């Protein structure tokens, strides 16, 4: 968590972000932010995500995506939407997995344990929160909103009906 916090602190200044985005390691982060490369992005089915280290992992997800999004904004200024689409792809895949899980819960055909599906949903929400926290221009918000509406907003509604109604 301390390493992630340091990277986040380095990503605050415009000049430092411009320099960071030129590093090969940062490019790897921007293009490969998946569960396979970053274990804290995975939901452990054997443990509740809100007990033990799970809450820290959720906070790390938000901080991770806040940091990555700051760096992505530098690339978005230099290019078109394809950088954002490529960046958002792992989150879209996770969103699809959550959608399938929730549909299984509501139809009584459990694909995953309900607590795991709920933790996955919270994780995706944390990821999106991290992205939204960093985006500060009309262009970047538009890119995010175009990805969230209507697919994610309908998932959000179904999740609230399933778990909070």
């Amino acid at each position: 968590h301390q390493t992630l916090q340091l990277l986040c602190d380095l990503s605050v200044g415009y000049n430092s972000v411009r320099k960071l985005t030129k590093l090969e390691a940062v490019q790897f982060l921007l293009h490969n932010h998946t569960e396979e490369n970053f274990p804290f992005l995975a939901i452990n089915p054997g443990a509740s995500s809100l007990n033990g280290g799970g809450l820290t992992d959720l906070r790390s997800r938000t901080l991770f995506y806040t940091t990555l999004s700051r760096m992505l904004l530098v690339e978005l200024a230099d290019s078109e939407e394809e950088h954002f689409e490529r960046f958002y792809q792992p989150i879209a895949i996770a969103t699809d997995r959550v959608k399938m899980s929730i549909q299984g819960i509501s139809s009584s055909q459990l694909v995953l344990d309900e607590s795991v599906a709920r933790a996955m949903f919270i994780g995706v929400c944390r990821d999106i929160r991290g992205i939204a926290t960093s985006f500060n221009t009309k262009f970047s918000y538009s890119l995010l909103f175009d990805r969230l509406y209507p697919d994610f907003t309908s998932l959000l509604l179904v999740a609230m009906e399933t778990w909070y109604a």
Side-chain angles (χ1 to χ4, degrees):
H1 186 75
Q2 291 174 339
T3 305
L4 185 55
Q5 185 62 52
L6 175 63
L7 183 62
C8 182
D9 292 343
L10 289 172
S11 73
V12 172
Y14 181 74
N15 287 331
S16 60
V17 168
R18 297 273 310 165
K19 290 177 183 176
L20 279 173
T21 57
K22 293 178 183 176
L23 297 174
E24 186 177 323
V26 171
Q27 288 299 314
F28 178 82
L29 289 171
L30 288 170
H31 299 297
N32 300 293
H33 50 97
T34 62
E35 296 174 358
E36 293 80 27
N37 295 315
F38 301 97
F40 66 90
L41 294 176
I43 300 299
N44 182 359
S48 171
S49 69
L50 299 179
N51 294 332
L55 187 57
T56 302
D57 287 348
L58 289 174
R59 289 183 184 140
S60 294
R61 288 176 78 127
T62 304
L63 186 62
F64 182 67
Y65 277 102
T66 298
T67 305
L68 288 183
S69 297
R70 284 182 191 147
M71 292 185 266
L72 178 68
L73 283 174
V74 171
E75 287 193 355
L76 288 177
D78 297 336
S79 66
E80 295 299 317
E81 299 175 20
E82 68 266 0
H83 280 304
F84 180 74
E85 292 300 322
R86 185 174 47 208
F87 175 79
Y88 194 82
Q89 190 61 34
I91 299 169
I93 291 169
T95 302
D96 289 342
R97 287 193 349 225
V98 170
K99 189 181 294 187
M100 290 183 344
S101 299
I102 292 175
Q103 289 170 346
I105 290 168
S106 61
S107 68
S108 299
Q109 296 176 344
L110 293 177
V111 177
L112 292 172
D113 183 349
E114 186 174 345
S115 64
V116 173
R118 189 174 183 176
M120 287 172 54
F121 175 72
I122 292 169
V124 168
C125 289
R126 287 286 202 152
D127 299 347
I128 292 170
R129 177 183 173 199
I131 294 169
T133 300
S134 296
F135 282 9
N136 56 9
T137 65
K138 181 180 177 183
F139 176 69
S140 58
Y141 276 122
S142 295
L143 287 175
L144 182 59
F145 185 77
D146 289 346
R147 291 296 296 173
L148 296 179
Y149 185 80
D151 294 333
F152 187 77
T153 52
S154 63
L155 173 63
L156 189 60
L157 180 63
V158 170
M160 286 199 266
E161 289 172 346
T162 302
W163 292 312
Y164 302 104

